[in-house]
Amino acid sequence: MTVDDTGSDAGARPAPDGEPGRTAGPVTDASPPPADARPGTRPDAGSDTGSDGRTDPNGRVDLPSEPEDGEDPLALRLEGLILGAERRYTPFQAARSAGVSMELASRFWRAMGFADIGQAKALTEADVLALRRLAGLVEAGLLSEAMAVQVARSTGQTTARLAEWQIDSFLEGLTEPPEPGMTRTEVTYPLIELLLPELEEFLVYVWRRQLAAATGRVVQAADDEEMVDRRLAVGFADLVGFTRLTRRMEEEELGELVEAFETTAADLVAAHGGRLIKTLGDEVLYAADDAGIAAEIALRLIETMAHDETMPELRVGIAFGTVTTRMGDVFGTTVNLASRLTSIAPRDAVLVDGAFAEELIRTGEAPASEADAAEAAATAEKEGEEPPTYRFALQPMWQRPVRGLGVIEPWLLARRDTES
């Protein structure tokens, strides 16, 4: 709910320490709210009550008796149920109650991805608390202002997609009217009422699990620079001929195909220890700390899709090297190279760059050549030892120029045994 910056900013700047509307350190749930933002009051309670709301004996202002601007009453009820609070503040009032400037409040709301509401009275006590928490982290020196905005943006973008996904694919099917004459909205309210607390608990659980995994990867980094610029294997998997499919298939069929592809890819990447970075409809981007893991994922994707007659052919490109990570995404020459390798890979095949091939050879996952493998086996047999086993085979391909990256020598990756 981004806000309109027009109008005076007087009164919206943080008050000195010790005054209402300001915290001296990080804000927790136990932190007392400012005097003008406590439940049951509002900063302008004496200025406009009676014009669009009702004040109870405790000073709490209820929603207007009639929805404004043709708003759906049930939509307002659903909003109140989900947010757990009633509309009470304009953006200016919310910023003042949180003890932050209008400018900073605007930055936070825009970062979270909410639409501009001007100065409509549409914000709740939860919005005030969220502003106060972020501002408290900045004031305490735990986050810089820029970092706090990044936190708001990353959370907003991630949860926006999550919410859309759940409404489109989950609630859509569950809210089909069970009886003739019932509207979908009549079914939605009690359903959300039951689901909301369970989904909220599950969301927090998954977030904590993901945070623990990400923190573990950072702690294991060799130095501070590696925390941001790390050496990773990056892979792209791309459906062949997807553009032609879009012309031949109905929209619903196309949607089901994309969903099946993304679901299969996500499951395989996670199951084998990789990380799904993002999906792009006909393409997925994943990363792994270990070249062997990235190779296994790529070949599993090819094998799984080849056994599904409804799926087009697939091609995969993988590169290994330094990668910059930002906002859950990956950037850099290594990522660009993986993308280029995907575009020139044969159908149902995996192409890798020289650095990736060297990493597989270094870790003993693949021999430098079949001649080297035979020589190593002969030496081991002569000395009465077990011959080395290799999971993957590498075949050098012709060198070729790649736009923006110069001349590269790709390698064709395959399994060295018949196991799948």
Side-chain angles (χ1 to χ4, degrees), residues 138-355:
V138 174
E139 291 170 9
L142 295 175
L143 294 177
S144 67
E145 187 173 305
M147 289 173 64
V149 171
Q150 279 193 353
V151 168
R153 180 171 290 112
S154 63
T155 306
Q157 290 180 359
T158 303
T159 53
R161 186 182 181 202
L162 174 64
E164 291 288 347
W165 194 343
Q166 289 178 335
I167 290 297
D168 289 344
S169 62
F170 180 52
L171 293 179
E172 180 78 12
L174 289 181
T175 55
E176 289 292 341
E179 298 180 10
M182 292 187 67
T183 65
R184 176 167 293 171
T185 49
E186 288 173 333
V187 181
T188 301
Y189 189 94
L191 180 63
I192 291 180
E193 194 171 26
L194 292 171
L195 285 175
L196 193 61
E198 301 300 327
L199 292 178
E200 183 177 17
E201 290 291 334
F202 186 70
L203 174 62
V204 172
Y205 155 74
V206 175
W207 171 72
R208 284 181 177 271
R209 267 289 177 189
Q210 294 286 5
L211 190 62
T215 303
R217 290 192 293 270
V218 170
V219 169
Q220 292 174 18
D223 51 48
D224 289 344
E225 289 185 3
E226 192 180 335
M227 291 183 183
V228 177
D229 298 320
R230 306 164 58 192
R231 285 179 63 79
L232 296 174
V234 178
F236 277 94
D238 176 56
L239 293 175
V240 178
F242 185 76
T243 304
R244 291 193 301 274
L245 282 175
T246 60
R247 302 191 193 104
R248 299 200 319 259
M249 299 180 71
E250 297 290 338
E251 290 185 3
E252 186 173 347
E253 291 179 306
L254 194 62
E256 291 174 355
L257 184 144
V258 169
E259 183 177 357
F261 169 58
E262 292 185 353
T263 300
T264 300
D267 287 348
L268 285 172
V269 169
H272 292 282
R275 297 186 298 284
L276 185 69
I277 304 299
K278 58 186 174 184
T279 59
L280 305 169
D282 62 329
E283 190 172 55
V284 297
L285 170 61
Y286 71 93
D289 299 310
D290 180 86
I293 289 175
E296 182 65 28
I297 290 170
L299 292 172
R300 291 275 179 174
L301 283 169
I302 294 290
E303 293 157 0
T304 302
M305 297 297 174
H307 285 88
D308 188 342
E309 295 181 355
T310 66
M311 282 289 170
E313 294 164 305
L314 190 71
R315 53 190 175 193
V316 182
I318 315 176
F320 185 84
T322 301
V323 173
T324 298
T325 59
R326 288 287 190 281
M327 299 284 287
D329 207 342
V330 290
F331 307 92
T333 302
T334 302
V335 180
N336 295 338
L337 179 53
S339 178
R340 299 285 190 275
L341 287 167
T342 306
S343 65
I344 63 175
R347 296 166 182 256
D348 285 340
V350 182
L351 275 190
V352 304
D353 74 326

Side-chain angles (χ1 to χ4, degrees), residues 3-9 92 102 106 110 118-119:
V3 296
D4 188 350
D5 292 331
T6 59
S8 171
D9 190 62
F92 179 81
M102 191 66 193
S106 297
R110 291 190 178 108
Q119 287 300 322

